[in-house]
Amino acid sequence: DRVIRLGEMYLERGDLERATRQADRAIQANRPSASAWALRGNVLRALDRNQESLAAYHRALSYQGHYPDVQLAIAEIYRSQGRHSRELATLRTLADAYPPGETPTHVLYQQGLALKQLRRYQAAADVLAAAAERSGPSSEILYHLAESQWLAGDAANARLTVRSALDRSQSNPADRRVATELLSLQRRLSQTPRL
């Protein structure tokens, strides 16, 4: 554990050579250590060696099936590669490990984004709505929810969500970028005929 922690510290400092050595030492000392393989995956990912990183992460999961940090890292790599079906499958496996109603908001959010990329807009809206129901949804979640609702053909609810998101973004200076996207979406929605 100390070897792994030292490797993580080197990785945080950007010393990838030492982090690599610590990951190798940890794996040599305890080959079935999920944490050691996760560290190797993190180092390889920092080196932009995503295929090798995926292999190390999957090895970590073979030793420890529920490993949220590793599963999220795998999903992020799949997203960056445009492999959204694999991303979604990874996120669903992660979400299924939590008791009903206790899936973390960020996992739901990532699932919603993957569904949106797959053009499954109604499913994306449903998952993003579940994420938004959690306490204090971010303007970004609300933006993606509104866009998914609109793309699913539910312009009325999309308008309501945009209004809510704009109110939230105006009270938070960190949400200025999202506010710009929300205003753009609001303009597109205003061109959608009301039913």
Side-chain angles (χ1 to χ4, degrees):
D1 286 343
R2 279 183 265 153
V3 171
I4 292 168
R5 182 63 196 127
L6 183 58
E8 290 169 346
M9 289 169 59
Y10 285 136
L11 182 59
E12 288 168 11
R13 289 183 21 207
D15 190 342
L16 301 180
E17 186 177 321
R18 286 185 173 156
T20 300
R21 282 199 300 264
Q22 294 306 112
D24 291 343
R25 283 184 58 205
I27 289 169
Q28 288 171 359
N30 185 7
R31 199 142 185 86
S33 168
S35 299
W37 285 100
L39 175 60
R40 176 175 276 176
N42 291 338
V43 171
L44 290 167
R45 188 168 174 212
L47 291 166
D48 287 326
R49 292 165 52 187
N50 285 337
Q51 283 309 115
E52 294 170 85
S53 179
L54 279 174
Y57 286 143
H58 282 292
R59 188 76 176 259
L61 288 178
S62 73
Y63 296 120
Q64 181 180 324
H66 181 66
Y67 202 144
D69 290 342
V70 167
Q71 290 164 291
L72 287 170
I74 289 170
E76 288 171 13
I77 290 171
Y78 286 145
R79 181 181 320 112
S80 72
Q81 295 175 336
R83 298 166 67 187
H84 301 294
S85 293
R86 297 296 301 261
E87 173 192 4
L88 181 60
T90 302
L91 292 166
R92 281 191 170 154
T93 300
L94 173 58
D96 289 346
Y98 291 98
E102 293 183 26
T103 304
T105 302
H106 66 278
V107 174
L108 292 172
Y109 174 62
Q110 296 302 327
Q111 274 186 299
L113 294 182
L115 286 162
K116 194 167 118 181
Q117 287 296 320
L118 292 167
R119 298 177 183 200
R120 295 173 54 191
Y121 301 124
Q122 186 57 56
D126 294 343
V127 172
L128 290 166
E133 286 175 8
R134 307 292 166 101
S135 60
S138 70
S139 297
E140 194 158 346
I141 289 174
L142 294 174
Y143 166 76
H144 288 288
L145 171 58
E147 188 174 49
S148 297
Q149 289 169 327
W150 177 54
L151 292 168
D154 187 359
N157 277 323
R159 286 184 187 95
L160 293 172
T161 303
V162 165
R163 272 191 228 118
S164 174
L166 282 169
D167 291 344
R168 188 174 298 278
S169 69
Q170 289 173 357
S171 65
N172 186 354
D175 288 344
R176 293 292 179 225
R177 179 190 57 79
V178 177
T180 303
E181 292 174 7
L182 284 163
L183 290 170
S184 173
L185 179 57
Q186 188 177 45
R187 280 191 293 279
R188 287 183 281 165
L189 282 165
S190 68
Q191 296 167 0
T192 303
R194 293 177 185 268
L195 299 177

